[in-house]
Amino acid sequence: IRDFIWNVVEIHAQLDDIHTSWAGLLGITQPQWLILMAITELDQGQGVAGTDIANKLRVHPAFVTNQTKILEKGGFLSRRPAANDARFVLMSLTAKATTDIEQLSKRRLALNSTMFNDLDEKTLADMNTALAKIAKNARLAARLLAIDVS
């Protein structure tokens, strides 16, 4: 278990460095890069609510609100009230953000190829299944620890 945990810590640190590098190429921060990536993944054409982004990134919704306003000023995303509930703001990438991210796509594909070079699709799928179970159990463990510490 210790080896697994230290490997996860190492992977997390490396991914942070990689995300910081991608963000730097766009002139934004690493958390802002992750927000753009979350929107890219979550947006089905109608925009994405800040709470959905916050849940995906496991951060506070107020942080997402603050950072998306900065990204909007930088021309990376648009924010508009939801048609069915004006209390919710939906965010979408702008053409500028889409173009900037697409310009990095070849480099991102090469990087992914390097990181996952020795893993076939089945191995990667099995690993993702196992990691999803561990993540679920880790959330439960964190809740139990919080109750125990209280």
Side-chain angles (χ1 to χ4, degrees):
I1 291 175
R2 278 190 221 139
D3 287 345
F4 172 80
I5 290 171
W6 284 114
N7 283 326
V8 170
V9 168
E10 169 70 15
I11 292 166
H12 181 267
Q14 296 303 328
L15 288 174
D16 269 353
D17 289 347
I18 290 166
H19 292 148
T20 298
S21 295
W22 291 131
L25 292 171
L26 297 183
I28 59 177
T29 67
Q30 187 253 19
Q32 291 168 344
W33 167 260
L34 291 175
I35 288 170
L36 294 180
M37 293 299 95
I39 292 170
T40 299
E41 185 170 321
L42 296 171
D43 193 354
Q44 301 294 314
Q46 297 89 352
V48 181
T51 53
D52 293 334
I53 296 166
N55 289 336
K56 178 86 173 156
L57 298 177
R58 309 275 195 269
V59 298
H60 195 278
F63 178 76
V64 171
T65 299
N66 179 301
Q67 295 302 305
T68 55
K69 287 180 181 178
I70 294 168
L71 288 166
E72 181 180 35
K73 287 179 187 171
F76 290 98
L77 60 82
S78 62
R79 298 164 34 98
R80 60 179 169 69
N84 60 345
D85 189 343
R87 293 175 298 168
F88 290 95
V89 174
L90 300 178
M91 289 158 268
S92 300
L93 298 182
T94 61
K96 171 196 176 358
T98 302
T99 300
D100 288 352
I101 291 168
E102 283 176 3
Q103 288 177 346
L104 300 175
S105 66
K106 284 184 184 176
R107 293 169 75 182
R108 289 176 65 203
L109 286 172
L111 186 70
N112 286 344
S113 178
T114 299
M115 288 181 3
F116 300 104
N117 185 34
D118 297 329
L119 303 175
D120 61 28
E121 285 188 38
K122 182 182 179 337
T123 302
L124 193 55
D126 291 346
M127 188 170 53
N128 278 327
T129 299
L131 287 172
K133 289 176 186 176
I134 293 168
K136 177 184 169 199
N137 293 340
R139 286 189 296 274
L140 174 61
R143 280 190 235 120
L144 291 173
L145 182 61
I147 290 169
D148 197 39
V149 173
S150 300

PDB file of all heavy atoms in Angstrom, residues 1-15 131 134:
ATOM      1  N   ILE A   1       0.835  -1.196   0.000  1.00  0.00           N
ATOM      2  CA  ILE A   1       0.000   0.000   0.000  1.00  0.00           C
ATOM      3  C   ILE A   1       0.870   1.246   0.000  1.00  0.00           C
ATOM      4  O   ILE A   1       0.566   2.209  -0.705  1.00  0.00           O
ATOM      5  CB  ILE A   1      -0.982  -0.014   1.198  1.00  0.00           C
ATOM      6  CG1 ILE A   1      -2.027  -1.110   0.992  1.00  0.00           C
ATOM      7  CG2 ILE A   1      -1.640   1.341   1.380  1.00  0.00           C
ATOM      8  CD1 ILE A   1      -2.966  -1.303   2.156  1.00  0.00           C
ATOM      9  N   ARG A   2       1.957   1.213   0.789  1.00  0.00           N
ATOM     10  CA  ARG A   2       2.852   2.385   0.837  1.00  0.00           C
ATOM     11  C   ARG A   2       3.420   2.709  -0.541  1.00  0.00           C
ATOM     12  O   ARG A   2       3.465   3.871  -0.926  1.00  0.00           O
ATOM     13  CB  ARG A   2       3.982   2.153   1.834  1.00  0.00           C
ATOM     14  CG  ARG A   2       3.585   2.434   3.235  1.00  0.00           C
ATOM     15  CD  ARG A   2       4.803   2.437   4.147  1.00  0.00           C
ATOM     16  NE  ARG A   2       4.410   1.764   5.356  1.00  0.00           N
ATOM     17  CZ  ARG A   2       5.141   0.904   6.025  1.00  0.00           C
ATOM     18  NH1 ARG A   2       6.341   0.604   5.617  1.00  0.00           N
ATOM     19  NH2 ARG A   2       4.679   0.339   7.109  1.00  0.00           N
ATOM     20  N   ASP A   3       3.873   1.683  -1.251  1.00  0.00           N
ATOM     21  CA  ASP A   3       4.421   1.911  -2.599  1.00  0.00           C
ATOM     22  C   ASP A   3       3.375   2.550  -3.500  1.00  0.00           C
ATOM     23  O   ASP A   3       3.668   3.479  -4.258  1.00  0.00           O
ATOM     24  CB  ASP A   3       4.908   0.600  -3.224  1.00  0.00           C
ATOM     25  CG  ASP A   3       6.197   0.084  -2.605  1.00  0.00           C
ATOM     26  OD1 ASP A   3       6.875   0.865  -1.897  1.00  0.00           O
ATOM     27  OD2 ASP A   3       6.523  -1.091  -2.834  1.00  0.00           O
ATOM     28  N   PHE A   4       2.140   2.033  -3.425  1.00  0.00           N
ATOM     29  CA  PHE A   4       1.059   2.591  -4.230  1.00  0.00           C
ATOM     30  C   PHE A   4       0.852   4.064  -3.900  1.00  0.00           C
ATOM     31  O   PHE A   4       0.767   4.909  -4.799  1.00  0.00           O
ATOM     32  CB  PHE A   4      -0.236   1.809  -4.009  1.00  0.00           C
ATOM     33  CG  PHE A   4      -1.426   2.457  -4.676  1.00  0.00           C
ATOM     34  CD1 PHE A   4      -1.638   2.276  -6.031  1.00  0.00           C
ATOM     35  CD2 PHE A   4      -2.280   3.279  -3.965  1.00  0.00           C
ATOM     36  CE1 PHE A   4      -2.710   2.899  -6.667  1.00  0.00           C
ATOM     37  CE2 PHE A   4      -3.352   3.900  -4.584  1.00  0.00           C
ATOM     38  CZ  PHE A   4      -3.569   3.709  -5.937  1.00  0.00           C
ATOM     39  N   ILE A   5       0.763   4.386  -2.621  1.00  0.00           N
ATOM     40  CA  ILE A   5       0.533   5.774  -2.205  1.00  0.00           C
ATOM     41  C   ILE A   5       1.662   6.673  -2.679  1.00  0.00           C
ATOM     42  O   ILE A   5       1.411   7.765  -3.212  1.00  0.00           O
ATOM     43  CB  ILE A   5       0.323   5.850  -0.680  1.00  0.00           C
ATOM     44  CG1 ILE A   5      -1.023   5.202  -0.330  1.00  0.00           C
ATOM     45  CG2 ILE A   5       0.388   7.301  -0.181  1.00  0.00           C
ATOM     46  CD1 ILE A   5      -1.264   5.012   1.154  1.00  0.00           C
ATOM     47  N   TRP A   6       2.906   6.237  -2.533  1.00  0.00           N
ATOM     48  CA  TRP A   6       4.024   7.072  -2.986  1.00  0.00           C
ATOM     49  C   TRP A   6       4.032   7.220  -4.513  1.00  0.00           C
ATOM     50  O   TRP A   6       4.406   8.273  -5.038  1.00  0.00           O
ATOM     51  CB  TRP A   6       5.350   6.545  -2.458  1.00  0.00           C
ATOM     52  CG  TRP A   6       5.514   6.889  -1.003  1.00  0.00           C
ATOM     53  CD1 TRP A   6       5.557   6.031   0.048  1.00  0.00           C
ATOM     54  CD2 TRP A   6       5.618   8.209  -0.446  1.00  0.00           C
ATOM     55  NE1 TRP A   6       5.682   6.734   1.221  1.00  0.00           N
ATOM     56  CE2 TRP A   6       5.721   8.074   0.953  1.00  0.00           C
ATOM     57  CE3 TRP A   6       5.623   9.496  -0.981  1.00  0.00           C
ATOM     58  CZ2 TRP A   6       5.844   9.156   1.816  1.00  0.00           C
ATOM     59  CZ3 TRP A   6       5.748  10.591  -0.125  1.00  0.00           C
ATOM     60  CH2 TRP A   6       5.852  10.418   1.245  1.00  0.00           C
ATOM     61  N   ASN A   7       3.618   6.176  -5.218  1.00  0.00           N
ATOM     62  CA  ASN A   7       3.507   6.309  -6.676  1.00  0.00           C
ATOM     63  C   ASN A   7       2.442   7.327  -7.049  1.00  0.00           C
ATOM     64  O   ASN A   7       2.633   8.127  -7.975  1.00  0.00           O
ATOM     65  CB  ASN A   7       3.202   4.952  -7.325  1.00  0.00           C
ATOM     66  CG  ASN A   7       4.426   4.073  -7.413  1.00  0.00           C
ATOM     67  OD1 ASN A   7       5.538   4.554  -7.594  1.00  0.00           O
ATOM     68  ND2 ASN A   7       4.226   2.771  -7.277  1.00  0.00           N
ATOM     69  N   VAL A   8       1.318   7.321  -6.342  1.00  0.00           N
ATOM     70  CA  VAL A   8       0.263   8.302  -6.601  1.00  0.00           C
ATOM     71  C   VAL A   8       0.772   9.708  -6.296  1.00  0.00           C
ATOM     72  O   VAL A   8       0.524  10.650  -7.061  1.00  0.00           O
ATOM     73  CB  VAL A   8      -1.015   7.973  -5.792  1.00  0.00           C
ATOM     74  CG1 VAL A   8      -2.018   9.110  -5.852  1.00  0.00           C
ATOM     75  CG2 VAL A   8      -1.646   6.683  -6.312  1.00  0.00           C
ATOM     76  N   VAL A   9       1.499   9.866  -5.196  1.00  0.00           N
ATOM     77  CA  VAL A   9       2.072  11.177  -4.855  1.00  0.00           C
ATOM     78  C   VAL A   9       3.011  11.643  -5.970  1.00  0.00           C
ATOM     79  O   VAL A   9       2.967  12.804  -6.396  1.00  0.00           O
ATOM     80  CB  VAL A   9       2.805  11.114  -3.488  1.00  0.00           C
ATOM     81  CG1 VAL A   9       3.640  12.365  -3.247  1.00  0.00           C
ATOM     82  CG2 VAL A   9       1.804  10.912  -2.362  1.00  0.00           C
ATOM     83  N   GLU A  10       3.848  10.749  -6.461  1.00  0.00           N
ATOM     84  CA  GLU A  10       4.783  11.085  -7.547  1.00  0.00           C
ATOM     85  C   GLU A  10       4.036  11.479  -8.823  1.00  0.00           C
ATOM     86  O   GLU A  10       4.350  12.478  -9.465  1.00  0.00           O
ATOM     87  CB  GLU A  10       5.707   9.901  -7.821  1.00  0.00           C
ATOM     88  CG  GLU A  10       6.543  10.019  -9.082  1.00  0.00           C
ATOM     89  CD  GLU A  10       7.637  11.082  -9.016  1.00  0.00           C
ATOM     90  OE1 GLU A  10       7.963  11.552  -7.915  1.00  0.00           O
ATOM     91  OE2 GLU A  10       8.164  11.430 -10.096  1.00  0.00           O
ATOM     92  N   ILE A  11       3.028  10.686  -9.191  1.00  0.00           N
ATOM     93  CA  ILE A  11       2.251  10.987 -10.393  1.00  0.00           C
ATOM     94  C   ILE A  11       1.552  12.329 -10.238  1.00  0.00           C
ATOM     95  O   ILE A  11       1.552  13.150 -11.172  1.00  0.00           O
ATOM     96  CB  ILE A  11       1.237   9.858 -10.689  1.00  0.00           C
ATOM     97  CG1 ILE A  11       1.977   8.579 -11.105  1.00  0.00           C
ATOM     98  CG2 ILE A  11       0.244  10.279 -11.774  1.00  0.00           C
ATOM     99  CD1 ILE A  11       1.110   7.327 -11.083  1.00  0.00           C
ATOM    100  N   HIS A  12       0.978  12.582  -9.080  1.00  0.00           N
ATOM    101  CA  HIS A  12       0.302  13.860  -8.824  1.00  0.00           C
ATOM    102  C   HIS A  12       1.281  15.026  -9.000  1.00  0.00           C
ATOM    103  O   HIS A  12       0.956  16.031  -9.653  1.00  0.00           O
ATOM    104  CB  HIS A  12      -0.300  13.866  -7.423  1.00  0.00           C
ATOM    105  CG  HIS A  12      -1.020  15.124  -7.094  1.00  0.00           C
ATOM    106  ND1 HIS A  12      -0.418  16.182  -6.459  1.00  0.00           N
ATOM    107  CD2 HIS A  12      -2.294  15.508  -7.333  1.00  0.00           C
ATOM    108  CE1 HIS A  12      -1.292  17.164  -6.314  1.00  0.00           C
ATOM    109  NE2 HIS A  12      -2.433  16.783  -6.841  1.00  0.00           N
ATOM    110  N   ALA A  13       2.471  14.906  -8.439  1.00  0.00           N
ATOM    111  CA  ALA A  13       3.468  15.973  -8.558  1.00  0.00           C
ATOM    112  C   ALA A  13       3.865  16.196 -10.024  1.00  0.00           C
ATOM    113  O   ALA A  13       3.979  17.344 -10.473  1.00  0.00           O
ATOM    114  CB  ALA A  13       4.699  15.638  -7.713  1.00  0.00           C
ATOM    115  N   GLN A  14       4.051  15.107 -10.761  1.00  0.00           N
ATOM    116  CA  GLN A  14       4.433  15.239 -12.170  1.00  0.00           C
ATOM    117  C   GLN A  14       3.303  15.866 -12.989  1.00  0.00           C
ATOM    118  O   GLN A  14       3.543  16.722 -13.851  1.00  0.00           O
ATOM    119  CB  GLN A  14       4.834  13.878 -12.753  1.00  0.00           C
ATOM    120  CG  GLN A  14       6.063  13.272 -12.118  1.00  0.00           C
ATOM    121  CD  GLN A  14       7.293  14.166 -12.206  1.00  0.00           C
ATOM    122  OE1 GLN A  14       7.469  14.917 -13.153  1.00  0.00           O
ATOM    123  NE2 GLN A  14       8.138  14.085 -11.197  1.00  0.00           N
ATOM    124  N   LEU A  15       2.068  15.449 -12.719  1.00  0.00           N
ATOM    125  CA  LEU A  15       0.931  16.029 -13.444  1.00  0.00           C
ATOM    126  C   LEU A  15       0.769  17.507 -13.113  1.00  0.00           C
ATOM    127  O   LEU A  15       0.430  18.308 -13.994  1.00  0.00           O
ATOM    128  CB  LEU A  15      -0.353  15.254 -13.148  1.00  0.00           C
ATOM    129  CG  LEU A  15      -0.442  13.864 -13.781  1.00  0.00           C
ATOM    130  CD1 LEU A  15      -1.688  13.144 -13.296  1.00  0.00           C
ATOM    131  CD2 LEU A  15      -0.406  13.943 -15.297  1.00  0.00           C
ATOM    132  N   LEU A 131      -8.708   2.411 -10.049  1.00  0.00           N
ATOM    133  CA  LEU A 131      -8.497   3.740  -9.459  1.00  0.00           C
ATOM    134  C   LEU A 131      -9.808   4.400  -9.060  1.00  0.00           C
ATOM    135  O   LEU A 131      -9.883   5.084  -8.036  1.00  0.00           O
ATOM    136  CB  LEU A 131      -7.712   4.635 -10.428  1.00  0.00           C
ATOM    137  CG  LEU A 131      -6.232   4.284 -10.576  1.00  0.00           C
ATOM    138  CD1 LEU A 131      -5.609   5.100 -11.709  1.00  0.00           C
ATOM    139  CD2 LEU A 131      -5.486   4.493  -9.275  1.00  0.00           C
ATOM    140  N   ILE A 134     -10.735   2.906  -5.789  1.00  0.00           N
ATOM    141  CA  ILE A 134      -9.885   3.440  -4.726  1.00  0.00           C
ATOM    142  C   ILE A 134     -10.278   4.874  -4.398  1.00  0.00           C
ATOM    143  O   ILE A 134     -10.339   5.259  -3.223  1.00  0.00           O
ATOM    144  CB  ILE A 134      -8.390   3.338  -5.122  1.00  0.00           C
ATOM    145  CG1 ILE A 134      -7.973   1.867  -5.190  1.00  0.00           C
ATOM    146  CG2 ILE A 134      -7.507   4.108  -4.130  1.00  0.00           C
ATOM    147  CD1 ILE A 134      -6.624   1.640  -5.834  1.00  0.00           C
TER     148      ILE A 134
END
